Amino acid sequence: MAYTDSKSEFSIGFYRIVDAHGVGGMSPVSASATADWVRTADALKNVTTGASNWASSQNAAGDRYVTYQKPQRQCIAFVRNGPITNGQVNWILGAAFCRESAAPLSSNEAQFIADAVKVRD
């Protein structure tokens, strides 16, 4: 899912194994790999291409996210792993959001965005 207007843009990518048979799944995205995963996720490229100043952060609840910048836009992205079973996950959710602003996104705004996107199994 993607949306763009003159002041903001966002994209959400939901990667899911639909019908796993036997052993299988995806490796969960680690905190240290979040920025690289977001940069290379096909579903998020429309919001991450041309970005710079990537930085990893963590909110008060312990959720990890990355912030970055595009020309005249401040951005945030996060990755949420599905439940981990035997070191594997059946789904990974990635989301990226940019808005027109000279000021960086506040931690409260980052928390609101991360909380707004949920996955129901």
Side-chain angles (χ1 to χ4, degrees):
M1 171 196 286
Y3 172 80
T4 302
D5 66 20
S6 64
K7 301 224 180 255
S8 64
E9 56 190 323
F10 76 84
S11 188
I12 300 171
F14 186 62
Y15 298 84
R16 181 180 177 100
I17 294 178
V18 177
D19 192 14
H21 295 285
V23 177
M26 298 176 281
S27 296
V29 179
S30 67
S32 62
T34 299
D36 287 334
W37 191 93
V38 167
R39 274 182 257 209
T40 59
D42 286 336
L44 306 180
K45 284 187 178 178
N46 65 310
V47 182
T48 60
T49 300
S52 62
N53 298 327
W54 291 81
S56 294
S57 297
Q58 184 172 345
N59 65 21
D63 298 321
R64 300 205 51 86
Y65 60 93
V66 294
T67 57
Y68 59 97
Q69 297 172 333
K70 292 177 72 173
Q72 299 163 5
R73 295 191 190 264
Q74 299 292 324
C75 308
I76 181 175
F78 66 90
V79 176
R80 196 168 285 145
N81 294 306
I84 300 173
T85 306
N86 297 324
Q88 303 286 304
V89 295
N90 284 335
W91 60 263
I92 298 172
L93 174 75
F97 170 75
C98 295
R99 67 164 165 75
E100 187 177 295
S101 175
L105 297 172
S106 70
S107 59
N108 288 344
E109 188 172 9
Q111 182 66 50
F112 174 80
I113 293 166
D115 287 346
V117 180
K118 303 283 185 198
V119 175
R120 277 190 240 159
D121 260 338

